[in-house]
Amino acid sequence: MLKQMLMGTVTAVFVAAGLPALSQTKDVELPRNLSVTSYDVGASSYNQAVALGTALGNAYDISLRVLPATSDVARLLPVKQDRVDFGVIGSESFNAAEGTEAFADPSIGPQPLRLVIGSNSDNCFTLGLRGDAGIKSIQDIKGKRIAFVVGAPALQSNVAAFLAFGGLTWDDVEKVDVASFGASWEALINGQVDAITTLTTTSYSQQAAASPGGLAWLPLPAEDKEGWARLQAAKPQFSPRLATLGANISKDTPLECAGFPFPVLATYPDRDETVVYNLTKAVDDQYQAYVDIEPAMSGWRADRQNFQWVIPYHAGAVAYWKDRGLWTDEAEAHNQKLVYRQDLLMKTWDGLDDKSKWPEARVAALKEAGLETYE
């Protein structure tokens, strides 16, 4: 199973390759070669990772290698194994930290992830719809064909959360298996499905909007408190957002939908603090350079950071955000609570002889500590 999860890492993209071992420019000192994993080619996080690599390469003469992968585990395991430095990832970061969904597998388990920076943009998550499918609200989804991305439980759970908003489940729709996130867009454009889970700014959306079937978005009104309570019970990392960025979306025609930091730049706690500090600074300093390349990266701006999300920040990143004057006492208290939660989960996992009993052991440990289980 683990081998299958790792399938899908394909050809890397290089920027400014073949350089010496260390670059020091503009008070930023970074290794000449860095690498990140990301979603598959064409996805928003892939485009953003490439734009980041171009900006950092131009500014600091470094090489940033981007490794696209089609599964949640394939985007994180190389980082854990020190074969890749960071991940430019999405909601699987929460599942990884919790040891749920794909990371509940006995061969994997919870991952002590740490954030560097996250993107809180003017885009959002929801269901992308064929414009001719006749879907105006969540209730119209019943009986429709929805893409089920094989090997991407984080995407599957996104759909489950959006369905829960309307009191629905996968049993209320027709599930259509697709091989990847990119394949889900192809299925939508080709009329094989009526809805897919996506970010509004992915590059595929413009192609879908120009297709014969057109493109629409599922609204998730903030005023529907009961719907949002159901959605957040399934996906606590989501919160209401008014999006103004995406195909067929603007400040004049905004969309009520779901937001959380996406993508996030993440790694493991043993990553060198000095490297993480300098990378955080570099990403902050080069904001305008990569936004000029990829406008969807506006959410990477320093004053848009959410320091009280569901994943703790790396010590090197914390040091930088403190120096930047943005890290508060409240952020520190929240971070320590998250580190405590991760330590508890890792201790529970490490002490479990039969890893197949992890789901039950996880819930029991969290309940005993008085923490939310997110079942």
Side-chain angles (χ1 to χ4, degrees), residues 80-112:
K80 178 180 181 179
Q81 296 170 338
D82 288 332
R83 295 188 291 113
V84 177
D85 300 300
F86 299 88
V88 179
I89 56 178
S91 62
E92 70 268 30
S93 59
F94 176 73
N95 300 324
E98 290 291 315
T100 55
E101 298 186 3
F103 299 91
D105 187 278
S107 63
I108 306 170
Q111 306 297 305

Side-chain angles (χ1 to χ4, degrees), residues 30-226:
L30 287 170
R32 287 288 192 178
N33 296 287
L34 289 171
S35 55
V36 299
T37 56
S38 183
Y39 281 72
D40 45 335
V41 176
S44 177
S45 67
Y46 176 85
N47 297 338
Q48 294 187 37
V50 171
L52 180 65
T54 301
L56 297 187
N58 291 338
Y60 308 113
D61 289 333
I62 69 169
S63 166
L64 183 73
R65 187 172 53 143
V66 182
L67 297 167
T70 59
S71 78
D72 297 348
V73 173
R75 283 185 287 274
L76 277 177
L77 199 57
V79 185
K80 178 180 181 179
Q81 296 170 338
D82 288 332
R83 295 188 291 113
V84 177
D85 300 300
F86 299 88
V88 179
I89 56 178
S91 62
E92 70 268 30
S93 59
F94 176 73
N95 300 324
E98 290 291 315
T100 55
E101 298 186 3
F103 299 91
D105 187 278
S107 63
I108 306 170
Q111 306 297 305
L113 285 185
R114 297 291 188 272
L115 293 188
V116 175
I117 191 170
S119 175
N120 293 280
S121 189
D122 294 320
N123 54 9
C124 71
F125 283 88
T126 187
L127 293 182
L129 314 169
R130 274 189 65 90
D132 59 4
I135 302 171
K136 302 297 183 183
S137 71
I138 186 62
Q139 297 306 322
D140 298 327
I141 293 287
K142 194 168 185 178
K144 298 295 186 179
R145 301 165 299 170
I146 300 187
F148 184 93
V149 182
V150 176
L155 297 180
Q156 298 161 8
S157 65
N158 283 355
V159 176
F162 299 143
L163 292 173
F165 182 84
L168 305 175
T169 71
W170 277 104
D171 293 335
D172 295 305
V173 298
E174 181 182 343
K175 183 173 68 174
V176 179
D177 288 350
V178 295
S180 67
F181 175 74
S184 72
W185 274 102
E186 292 178 10
L188 186 76
I189 293 170
N190 295 334
Q192 297 165 309
V193 299
D194 302 304
I196 64 172
T197 181
T198 183
L199 188 68
T200 58
T201 48
T202 184
S203 59
Y204 297 106
S205 62
Q206 297 294 340
Q207 182 182 351
S211 70
L215 176 68
W217 303 104
L218 178 70
L220 301 167
E223 65 181 15
D224 188 342
K225 304 299 184 183
E226 292 183 359

Side-chain angles (χ1 to χ4, degrees), residues 280-300:
T280 311
K281 177 175 173 52
V283 174
D284 186 21
D285 286 351
Q286 298 307 312
Y287 170 81
Q288 194 58 54
Y290 53 74
V291 166
D292 286 345
I293 300 169
E294 180 56 67
M297 297 182 75
S298 60
W300 292 62

Side-chain angles (χ1 to χ4, degrees), residues 265-316:
L265 184 63
T267 191
Y268 283 74
D270 58 356
R271 191 69 59 206
D272 183 84
E273 288 187 24
T274 300
V275 171
V276 175
Y277 180 100
N278 279 274
L279 181 60
T280 311
K281 177 175 173 52
V283 174
D284 186 21
D285 286 351
Q286 298 307 312
Y287 170 81
Q288 194 58 54
Y290 53 74
V291 166
D292 286 345
I293 300 169
E294 180 56 67
M297 297 182 75
S298 60
W300 292 62
R301 201 170 68 203
D303 63 0
R304 289 195 174 193
Q305 295 308 300
N306 180 0
F307 296 124
Q308 297 186 48
W309 194 48
V310 294
I311 307 295
Y313 278 73
H314 192 282

